[in-house]
mmCIF file of all heavy atoms in Angstrom:
data_model
loop_
_atom_site.group_PDB
_atom_site.id
_atom_site.type_symbol
_atom_site.label_atom_id
_atom_site.label_comp_id
_atom_site.label_asym_id
_atom_site.label_seq_id
_atom_site.Cartn_x
_atom_site.Cartn_y
_atom_site.Cartn_z
ATOM 1 N N LYS A 27 0.275 -5.760 38.457
ATOM 2 C CA LYS A 27 -0.464 -6.734 39.270
ATOM 3 C C LYS A 27 -1.255 -7.732 38.430
ATOM 4 O O LYS A 27 -1.850 -7.364 37.420
ATOM 5 C CB LYS A 27 -1.418 -6.001 40.210
ATOM 6 C CG LYS A 27 -0.665 -5.401 41.391
ATOM 7 C CD LYS A 27 -1.601 -4.749 42.354
ATOM 8 C CE LYS A 27 -2.134 -5.761 43.353
ATOM 9 N NZ LYS A 27 -3.006 -5.127 44.352
ATOM 10 N N GLY A 28 -1.271 -8.960 38.894
ATOM 11 C CA GLY A 28 -2.100 -9.980 38.269
ATOM 12 C C GLY A 28 -3.561 -9.726 38.619
ATOM 13 O O GLY A 28 -3.867 -9.111 39.648
ATOM 14 N N GLY A 29 -4.449 -10.180 37.760
ATOM 15 C CA GLY A 29 -5.874 -10.063 38.042
ATOM 16 C C GLY A 29 -6.478 -8.718 37.680
ATOM 17 O O GLY A 29 -7.665 -8.494 37.903
ATOM 18 N N ALA A 30 -5.675 -7.829 37.119
ATOM 19 C CA ALA A 30 -6.196 -6.498 36.764
ATOM 20 C C ALA A 30 -7.102 -6.569 35.537
ATOM 21 O O ALA A 30 -7.899 -5.661 35.298
ATOM 22 C CB ALA A 30 -5.043 -5.534 36.510
ATOM 23 N N GLY A 31 -6.960 -7.626 34.748
ATOM 24 C CA GLY A 31 -7.808 -7.790 33.566
ATOM 25 C C GLY A 31 -7.063 -7.629 32.248
ATOM 26 O O GLY A 31 -7.683 -7.492 31.195
ATOM 27 N N LYS A 32 -5.742 -7.690 32.294
ATOM 28 C CA LYS A 32 -4.939 -7.497 31.069
ATOM 29 C C LYS A 32 -5.333 -8.495 29.987
ATOM 30 O O LYS A 32 -5.609 -8.125 28.845
ATOM 31 C CB LYS A 32 -3.442 -7.664 31.383
ATOM 32 C CG LYS A 32 -2.900 -6.681 32.400
ATOM 33 C CD LYS A 32 -1.437 -6.914 32.666
ATOM 34 C CE LYS A 32 -1.133 -8.168 33.458
ATOM 35 N NZ LYS A 32 -1.569 -8.095 34.868
ATOM 36 N N SER A 33 -5.337 -9.782 30.338
ATOM 37 C CA SER A 33 -5.578 -10.811 29.326
ATOM 38 C C SER A 33 -7.021 -10.765 28.828
ATOM 39 O O SER A 33 -7.276 -10.957 27.637
ATOM 40 C CB SER A 33 -5.257 -12.196 29.897
ATOM 41 O OG SER A 33 -3.931 -12.219 30.375
ATOM 42 N N THR A 34 -7.945 -10.505 29.729
ATOM 43 C CA THR A 34 -9.358 -10.400 29.348
ATOM 44 C C THR A 34 -9.551 -9.276 28.336
ATOM 45 O O THR A 34 -10.208 -9.450 27.304
ATOM 46 C CB THR A 34 -10.217 -10.119 30.608
ATOM 47 O OG1 THR A 34 -9.974 -11.148 31.568
ATOM 48 C CG2 THR A 34 -11.685 -10.062 30.280
ATOM 49 N N GLN A 58 2.083 -16.700 32.878
ATOM 50 C CA GLN A 58 0.789 -17.356 33.132
ATOM 51 C C GLN A 58 0.122 -17.798 31.839
ATOM 52 O O GLN A 58 -0.735 -18.681 31.851
ATOM 53 C CB GLN A 58 -0.149 -16.391 33.864
ATOM 54 C CG GLN A 58 0.202 -16.217 35.313
ATOM 55 C CD GLN A 58 -0.897 -15.456 36.054
ATOM 56 O OE1 GLN A 58 -2.012 -15.300 35.567
ATOM 57 N NE2 GLN A 58 -0.564 -14.976 37.229
ATOM 58 N N THR A 60 -2.198 -16.741 29.981
ATOM 59 C CA THR A 60 -3.669 -16.763 29.956
ATOM 60 C C THR A 60 -4.224 -16.401 28.586
ATOM 61 O O THR A 60 -5.176 -17.019 28.108
ATOM 62 C CB THR A 60 -4.235 -15.775 31.009
ATOM 63 O OG1 THR A 60 -3.542 -15.994 32.233
ATOM 64 C CG2 THR A 60 -5.704 -15.983 31.218
ATOM 65 N N ASN A 156 -10.955 -0.967 35.702
ATOM 66 C CA ASN A 156 -11.578 -2.265 35.443
ATOM 67 C C ASN A 156 -12.058 -2.839 36.777
ATOM 68 O O ASN A 156 -11.486 -2.552 37.818
ATOM 69 C CB ASN A 156 -10.580 -3.237 34.800
ATOM 70 C CG ASN A 156 -11.247 -4.576 34.478
ATOM 71 O OD1 ASN A 156 -12.457 -4.641 34.250
ATOM 72 N ND2 ASN A 156 -10.466 -5.645 34.476
ATOM 73 N N ARG A 157 -13.081 -3.652 36.712
ATOM 74 C CA ARG A 157 -13.652 -4.294 37.887
ATOM 75 C C ARG A 157 -14.262 -3.274 38.844
ATOM 76 O O ARG A 157 -14.196 -3.448 40.060
ATOM 77 C CB ARG A 157 -12.603 -5.141 38.623
ATOM 78 C CG ARG A 157 -11.689 -5.927 37.708
ATOM 79 C CD ARG A 157 -10.867 -6.921 38.448
ATOM 80 N NE ARG A 157 -11.718 -8.035 38.769
ATOM 81 C CZ ARG A 157 -11.374 -9.317 38.671
ATOM 82 N NH1 ARG A 157 -10.157 -9.646 38.297
ATOM 83 N NH2 ARG A 157 -12.213 -10.266 38.961
ATOM 84 N N LEU A 187 -14.898 -0.571 32.927
ATOM 85 C CA LEU A 187 -15.498 -1.902 32.960
ATOM 86 C C LEU A 187 -15.873 -2.210 34.402
ATOM 87 O O LEU A 187 -15.071 -1.996 35.310
ATOM 88 C CB LEU A 187 -14.516 -2.982 32.465
ATOM 89 C CG LEU A 187 -13.860 -2.786 31.093
ATOM 90 C CD1 LEU A 187 -13.032 -4.013 30.731
ATOM 91 C CD2 LEU A 187 -14.897 -2.510 30.017
ATOM 92 N N ARG A 188 -17.073 -2.708 34.580
ATOM 93 C CA ARG A 188 -17.489 -3.066 35.939
ATOM 94 C C ARG A 188 -17.245 -4.554 36.194
ATOM 95 O O ARG A 188 -16.992 -5.324 35.267
ATOM 96 C CB ARG A 188 -18.954 -2.696 36.138
ATOM 97 C CG ARG A 188 -19.159 -1.183 36.088
ATOM 98 C CD ARG A 188 -20.496 -0.758 36.663
ATOM 99 N NE ARG A 188 -20.413 0.629 37.118
ATOM 100 C CZ ARG A 188 -20.423 1.693 36.321
ATOM 101 N NH1 ARG A 188 -20.477 1.532 35.012
ATOM 102 N NH2 ARG A 188 -20.356 2.906 36.818
ATOM 103 N N GLN A 189 -17.298 -4.884 37.449
ATOM 104 C CA GLN A 189 -17.132 -6.281 37.855
ATOM 105 C C GLN A 189 -18.383 -7.045 37.430
ATOM 106 O O GLN A 189 -19.454 -6.843 38.002
ATOM 107 C CB GLN A 189 -16.952 -6.308 39.382
ATOM 108 C CG GLN A 189 -16.804 -7.682 39.999
ATOM 109 C CD GLN A 189 -15.485 -8.326 39.640
ATOM 110 O OE1 GLN A 189 -14.470 -7.662 39.463
ATOM 111 N NE2 GLN A 189 -15.492 -9.638 39.524
ATOM 112 N N ARG A 190 -18.253 -7.889 36.398
ATOM 113 C CA ARG A 190 -19.422 -8.589 35.870
ATOM 114 C C ARG A 190 -19.038 -10.030 35.529
ATOM 115 O O ARG A 190 -18.015 -10.258 34.871
ATOM 116 C CB ARG A 190 -19.931 -7.896 34.601
ATOM 117 C CG ARG A 190 -20.309 -6.428 34.824
ATOM 118 C CD ARG A 190 -21.128 -5.907 33.670
ATOM 119 N NE ARG A 190 -21.308 -4.458 33.755
ATOM 120 C CZ ARG A 190 -22.231 -3.853 34.496
ATOM 121 N NH1 ARG A 190 -23.061 -4.574 35.222
ATOM 122 N NH2 ARG A 190 -22.331 -2.534 34.517
ATOM 123 N N THR A 191 -19.913 -10.952 35.913
ATOM 124 C CA THR A 191 -19.616 -12.368 35.681
ATOM 125 C C THR A 191 -19.537 -12.689 34.188
ATOM 126 O O THR A 191 -18.871 -13.640 33.802
ATOM 127 C CB THR A 191 -20.680 -13.277 36.335
ATOM 128 O OG1 THR A 191 -21.957 -12.820 35.921
ATOM 129 C CG2 THR A 191 -20.584 -13.231 37.847
ATOM 130 N N PHE A 193 -17.874 -11.331 31.961
ATOM 131 C CA PHE A 193 -16.482 -11.305 31.507
ATOM 132 C C PHE A 193 -15.805 -12.661 31.772
ATOM 133 O O PHE A 193 -15.099 -13.177 30.915
ATOM 134 C CB PHE A 193 -15.701 -10.183 32.217
ATOM 135 C CG PHE A 193 -16.010 -8.816 31.681
ATOM 136 C CD1 PHE A 193 -16.682 -7.887 32.455
ATOM 137 C CD2 PHE A 193 -15.640 -8.459 30.386
ATOM 138 C CE1 PHE A 193 -16.975 -6.618 31.964
ATOM 139 C CE2 PHE A 193 -15.931 -7.194 29.882
ATOM 140 C CZ PHE A 193 -16.600 -6.276 30.681
ATOM 141 N N ARG A 194 -16.061 -13.199 32.948
ATOM 142 C CA ARG A 194 -15.444 -14.487 33.302
ATOM 143 C C ARG A 194 -16.033 -15.625 32.491
ATOM 144 O O ARG A 194 -15.322 -16.486 31.987
ATOM 145 C CB ARG A 194 -15.653 -14.780 34.788
ATOM 146 C CG ARG A 194 -14.598 -14.181 35.676
ATOM 147 C CD ARG A 194 -14.537 -14.889 37.019
ATOM 148 N NE ARG A 194 -15.814 -14.811 37.715
ATOM 149 C CZ ARG A 194 -16.218 -13.749 38.410
ATOM 150 N NH1 ARG A 194 -15.434 -12.698 38.499
ATOM 151 N NH2 ARG A 194 -17.376 -13.750 39.019
ATOM 152 N N PHE A 197 -14.934 -15.525 28.806
ATOM 153 C CA PHE A 197 -13.496 -15.794 28.718
ATOM 154 C C PHE A 197 -13.223 -17.295 28.841
ATOM 155 O O PHE A 197 -12.450 -17.861 28.071
ATOM 156 C CB PHE A 197 -12.796 -15.018 29.843
ATOM 157 C CG PHE A 197 -11.330 -14.814 29.655
ATOM 158 C CD1 PHE A 197 -10.843 -14.092 28.577
ATOM 159 C CD2 PHE A 197 -10.420 -15.328 30.571
ATOM 160 C CE1 PHE A 197 -9.483 -13.891 28.411
ATOM 161 C CE2 PHE A 197 -9.065 -15.125 30.418
ATOM 162 C CZ PHE A 197 -8.588 -14.410 29.339
HETATM 163 N N1 ADP B 301 -14.435 -6.585 34.735
HETATM 164 C C1 ADP B 301 -14.370 -7.862 35.137
HETATM 165 N N2 ADP B 301 -15.433 -8.449 35.744
HETATM 166 C C2 ADP B 301 -15.373 -9.737 36.143
HETATM 167 N N3 ADP B 301 -14.311 -10.528 36.004
HETATM 168 C C3 ADP B 301 -13.206 -9.993 35.415
HETATM 169 C C4 ADP B 301 -13.169 -8.656 34.950
HETATM 170 N N4 ADP B 301 -11.944 -8.431 34.403
HETATM 171 C C5 ADP B 301 -11.251 -9.581 34.527
HETATM 172 N N5 ADP B 301 -12.006 -10.527 35.139
HETATM 173 C C6 ADP B 301 -11.653 -11.910 35.469
HETATM 174 O O1 ADP B 301 -10.617 -11.897 36.445
HETATM 175 C C7 ADP B 301 -9.681 -12.928 36.198
HETATM 176 C C8 ADP B 301 -8.297 -12.326 35.976
HETATM 177 O O2 ADP B 301 -8.321 -11.524 34.795
HETATM 178 P P1 ADP B 301 -7.118 -11.537 33.766
HETATM 179 O O3 ADP B 301 -7.599 -10.850 32.542
HETATM 180 O O4 ADP B 301 -6.576 -12.925 33.614
HETATM 181 O O5 ADP B 301 -6.090 -10.599 34.561
HETATM 182 P P2 ADP B 301 -4.519 -10.374 34.300
HETATM 183 O O6 ADP B 301 -4.217 -10.794 32.908
HETATM 184 O O7 ADP B 301 -4.327 -8.916 34.533
HETATM 185 O O8 ADP B 301 -3.811 -11.193 35.334
HETATM 186 C C9 ADP B 301 -10.195 -13.688 34.989
HETATM 187 O O9 ADP B 301 -10.954 -14.776 35.428
HETATM 188 C C10 ADP B 301 -11.087 -12.680 34.283
HETATM 189 O O10 ADP B 301 -12.102 -13.293 33.524
#
Side-chain angles (χ1 to χ4, degrees):
K27 283 183 86 177
K32 299 179 288 290
S33 304
T34 304
Q58 285 190 15
T60 313
N156 182 27
R157 319 191 77 138
L187 306 185
R188 294 196 156 76
Q189 178 70 32
R190 302 195 189 277
T191 51
F193 284 112
R194 273 201 301 279
F197 199 62

